[in-house]
Amino acid sequence: MAVVARSGRGAGGSPFSSALRSFFSYRIFVSAMFTLLFFATASVLFSSHPAHFSDNSEIQTTGRAYMHRTFLALKSDPLKTRLDLIHKQASDHIVLVNAYASYARKLKLEISKQLKTFDEMAQNFSDLGLKPTYRTSLFESDGAVDEEVLRQFEKEVKEKIKVARLLIAENKESYDNQLKIQKLKDTIFAVNELLIKAKKNGAFASLIAAKSTPKSLHCLAMRLMGERIASPEKYRDEEPKPEFEDPSLYHYAIFSDNVIAVSVVVNSAVKNADEPWKHVFHIVTDKMNLAAMKVWFKMRPIENGAFVEIKAVEEFTFLNSTYVPVLRQIESANLQKIYLENNTKSGTQKHLSMLNHLKFYLPEMYPKLHRILFLDDDVVVQKDLTALWKVDLEGKVNGAVETCFGSFHRYAQYLNFSNPLIKDKFNPKACAWAFGMNIFDLDAWRREKLTDQYHYWQDLNEDQNLWDLGTLPPGLMTFYSTTKSLEKTWHVLGLGYNPSISMDEINKAAVIHFNGNMKPWLDIAMNQFKHLWTKYVDNEMEFVQMCNFGL
């Protein structure tokens, strides 16, 4: 049966296997194909006179004629039976090839090369039977069959059958739904494994970039230190100013070893303050960065009369291992191992720094103050904050913005509720809040003796059974039921990890927080938010230019 060839679009010269694999993307109608195969095969079985292999051959409709012819052929010439079997094999494969071609047409394939392949294969079978040598000697002759011609005919037919079988075998998987589904599952699994691996590598690389000290920051600190050494007379310590302890002013606490980050926090707060001369900034750093911090604010004094006090954590002598559980734990061998293992996993050693725990000692650090605003060094102030000192905390200690939504950021995510001490004391569904911008009522803090409460929980967590490393879990415990929820516009978080924060939400915020690994002073910062931080960088400062911050 000859196949009617059709013209197609985009016929290419790709090999058979490439053409067949393109079937994979189409829906499979197996039942239609097998129905077609059934009727086509039946037509061959009931044919009575295989005069030639074209679609125009006459087909007898009864099995009796076919059986009668086969019996007579066997009686008259044994080679006739052999010829008939060869003819039947060829006819069967014509049916299969035509079935695939018909199915390909139904799928409306874009590549005509696939149809052309099937058409040509079927036509080759048909043309073989129409060759004059075979037609005259084998099909139109009433005499004995020439065995030599039959042998040559059989050889050519078998070669074409071999090619047809290979073609059909390769194409079969395109029609096997189960096989396709399994292959698709295997592909999805393999791609997912690669995705997981890529995410892990990306997260690890991001941690390295985020937690390592950038060359520009190191350069800035060294330049500032060099300036101090070169001109010591210009940077002598001054006497403390009375404004540092004046409770009628607006006091901020900033604890950091990052000079440029602290300068941005102070600069942004002052520029957006209605009365900057009433604002006092208490900056605490470590001994290593104390000189650099002092030189910066000496070289670039704050405008409009704001006050800056800079101290080293070591100057607060009451913060020793006898009084502070965290320092005592860090000095213990077991805790050092736990801290170091966890810091290796998280890629940060900030938990080993006392700077990260200073916020729990604010009432003792500033005994004459009534209220203080704590700011992280990765925030930017966008509006005047003086209203925070006037917020009614309703007798509570901590004013903070809550971070929970749905089931996320609840106490259950931060504390070990399998421990009875936690389970009996706290509600796992209680809403968490954020450190980074907190207004503290220091008088209420002292009255509630919350520093003692903090020490109590830190002592119980010596083996890290109540929470993992970090200051938010003990903060949630210490200020449990003593935290006043502030309006969300006071503090918008996530600019260091969440690219989907809307600019409308950011523009309405009084303070924006670059919490996360993508800090704005790093190359990995999110570009859509970075300008919100860089506009407060003092780019006229000579050392910033020399250290190639690339901002």
Side-chain angles (χ1 to χ4, degrees):
M1 297 188 297
V3 178
V4 180
R6 73 162 194 185
S7 62
R9 297 175 298 169
S14 59
F16 286 165
S17 58
S18 298
L20 295 174
R21 280 192 295 270
S22 65
F23 277 100
F24 191 81
S25 61
Y26 296 92
R27 296 179 58 193
I28 306 302
F29 299 96
V30 177
S31 59
M33 184 188 74
F34 281 111
T35 301
L36 180 62
L37 287 175
F38 174 79
F39 285 113
T41 305
S43 67
V44 174
L45 290 174
F46 293 111
S47 63
S48 61
H49 184 64
H52 53 79
F53 289 6
S54 70
D55 280 334
N56 298 322
S57 61
E58 296 183 1
I59 302 175
Q60 295 189 17
T61 59
T62 63
R64 183 181 299 176
Y66 177 79
M67 295 298 296
H68 180 67
R69 178 192 175 283
T70 304
F71 176 76
L72 292 177
L74 180 61
K75 185 176 180 181
S76 60
D77 189 350
L79 294 179
K80 288 283 187 180
T81 302
R82 183 176 170 187
L83 172 62
D84 189 60
L85 291 174
I86 295 171
H87 171 268
K88 185 177 181 301
Q89 278 188 308
S91 298
D92 289 346
H93 284 82
I94 290 174
V95 170
L96 287 174
V97 171
N98 281 334
Y100 277 84
S102 176
Y103 186 72
R105 289 190 187 91
K106 288 182 179 180
L107 293 178
K108 298 180 181 179
L109 298 178
E110 292 290 331
I111 304 174
S112 62
K113 179 65 177 177
Q114 296 156 354
L115 280 178
K116 186 178 179 181
T117 300
F118 289 124
D119 289 344
E120 289 179 352
M121 181 61 65
Q123 190 61 45
N124 287 341
F125 277 111
S126 299
D127 291 345
L128 185 61
L130 294 175
K131 281 187 177 181
T133 304
Y134 299 144
R135 186 173 181 178
T136 302
S137 302
L138 301 178
F139 302 113
E140 295 181 353
S141 173
D142 294 330
V145 174
D146 188 333
E147 186 174 1
E148 189 64 32
V149 175
L150 178 61
R151 187 180 296 111
Q152 181 62 32
F153 177 69
E154 181 181 20
K155 180 180 178 183
E156 291 193 40
V157 168
K158 287 184 176 181
E159 287 177 355
K160 294 187 183 301
I161 288 173
K162 182 179 179 181
V163 174
R165 284 176 175 173
L166 287 173
L167 185 67
I168 292 167
E170 289 185 11
N171 192 43
K172 184 178 180 181
E173 69 179 51
S174 298
Y175 296 85
D176 190 333
N177 280 340
Q178 292 301 320
L179 181 60
K180 291 182 72 174
I181 290 171
Q182 186 58 49
K183 290 189 71 174
L184 184 58
K185 285 182 177 179
D186 292 343
T187 302
I188 292 172
F189 178 80
V191 171
N192 189 55
E193 288 292 304
L194 291 174
L195 178 62
I196 292 172
K197 185 177 180 180
K199 283 184 176 180
K200 287 181 178 179
N201 291 339
F204 183 68
S206 178
L207 279 173
I208 292 175
K211 305 309 177 183
S212 301
T213 301
K215 183 179 179 181
S216 53
L217 284 181
H218 180 72
C219 166
L220 180 61
M222 293 300 100
R223 293 280 183 182
L224 292 168
M225 283 289 294
E227 175 68 15
R228 173 65 181 262
I229 294 170
S231 306
E233 68 285 351
K234 293 169 58 176
Y235 304 104
R236 289 175 181 160
D237 293 337
E238 299 176 353
E239 292 294 321
K241 296 179 180 180
E243 288 82 3
F244 294 165
E245 297 181 337
D246 187 350
S248 66
L249 300 179
Y250 304 113
H251 293 262
Y252 300 78
I254 306 169
F255 308 141
S256 173
D257 58 2
N258 187 327
V259 177
I260 198 166
V262 170
S263 73
V264 167
V265 177
V266 174
N267 193 27
S268 63
V270 170
K271 286 190 174 182
N272 289 288
D274 295 335
E275 299 175 309
W277 56 89
K278 292 184 179 181
H279 295 254
V280 182
F281 298 88
H282 301 272
I283 299 170
V284 180
T285 187
D286 54 30
K287 194 172 184 179
M288 182 181 297
N289 291 280
L290 180 63
M293 199 78 73
K294 286 185 174 181
V295 171
W296 174 281
F297 285 99
K298 194 76 172 181
M299 293 181 68
R300 311 298 294 178
I302 300 300
E303 300 176 354
N304 301 321
F307 301 92
V308 176
E309 178 192 39
I310 302 172
K311 285 188 173 184
V313 65
E314 289 81 5
E315 295 180 49
F316 298 93
T317 55
F318 71 92
L319 295 174
N320 52 62
S321 58
T322 302
Y323 179 63
V324 180
V326 169
L327 290 176
R328 186 166 59 253
Q329 291 168 6
I330 290 174
E331 291 176 2
S332 97
N334 288 337
L335 262 294
Q336 279 187 10
K337 182 179 179 182
I338 294 173
Y339 269 72
L340 290 172
E341 286 177 353
N342 279 275
N343 278 289
T344 301
K345 294 174 184 176
S346 64
T348 175
Q349 294 188 359
K350 69 178 183 178
H351 301 304
L352 294 173
S353 171
M354 188 59 201
L355 287 174
N356 202 45
H357 300 270
L358 282 183
K359 49 182 165 281
F360 293 103
Y361 299 95
L362 286 168
E364 296 158 285
M365 294 171 69
Y366 307 104
K368 294 185 179 182
L369 301 182
H370 304 307
R371 282 198 177 190
I372 195 166
L373 182 65
F374 170 74
L375 294 178
D376 269 343
D377 64 357
D378 54 354
V379 306
V380 170
V381 179
Q382 299 188 129
K383 297 181 181 179
D384 181 72
L385 301 180
T386 54
L388 284 170
W389 278 265
K390 301 177 180 66
V391 170
D392 182 7
L393 293 180
E394 302 173 358
K396 296 185 178 180
V397 177
N398 173 30
V401 170
E402 292 183 337
T403 57
C404 62
F405 57 97
S407 61
F408 296 98
H409 291 221
R410 303 282 176 175
Y411 268 55
Q413 292 181 263
Y414 300 97
L415 305 177
N416 178 18
F417 276 86
S418 63
N419 190 301
L421 289 172
I422 301 294
K423 186 177 181 180
D424 295 341
K425 182 71 175 178
F426 304 99
N427 179 4
K429 295 182 180 180
C431 188
W433 42 266
F435 273 131
M437 191 222 72
N438 306 78
I439 184 71
F440 290 111
D441 184 333
L442 301 183
D443 291 332
W445 188 325
R446 298 180 187 105
R447 183 179 66 249
E448 297 291 337
K449 298 182 179 180
L450 292 187
T451 301
D452 292 340
Q453 187 74 7
Y454 167 68
H455 286 171
Y456 169 76
W457 290 114
Q458 279 287 3
D459 285 331
L460 289 176
N461 195 46
E462 185 168 353
D463 294 329
Q464 308 293 301
N465 289 324
L466 303 185
W467 70 86
D468 291 332
L469 293 177
T471 59
L472 181 57
L476 294 175
M477 301 167 77
T478 300
F479 300 106
Y480 184 67
S481 74
T482 63
T483 297
K484 165 75 173 179
S485 177
L486 301 177
E487 290 290 334
K488 290 188 179 295
T489 53
W490 279 114
H491 186 194
V492 170
L493 298 102
L495 279 73
Y497 70 89
N498 184 5
S500 63
I501 303 173
S502 70
M503 287 306 301
D504 183 59
E505 184 181 2
I506 289 172
N507 291 332
K508 291 179 181 177
V511 173
I512 54 175
H513 195 167
F514 289 84
N515 57 313
N517 287 332
M518 300 179 184
K519 301 299 184 188
W521 54 83
L522 300 175
D523 292 336
I524 61 173
M526 287 186 280
N527 291 329
Q528 68 266 42
F529 302 142
K530 191 170 183 176
H531 70 281
L532 300 169
W533 184 84
T534 56
K535 69 180 180 180
Y536 292 107
V537 174
D538 187 354
N539 289 300
E540 295 181 2
M541 205 280 185
E542 57 181 298
F543 295 151
V544 171
Q545 298 174 11
M546 294 172 66
C547 290
N548 299 317
F549 270 85
L551 302 175

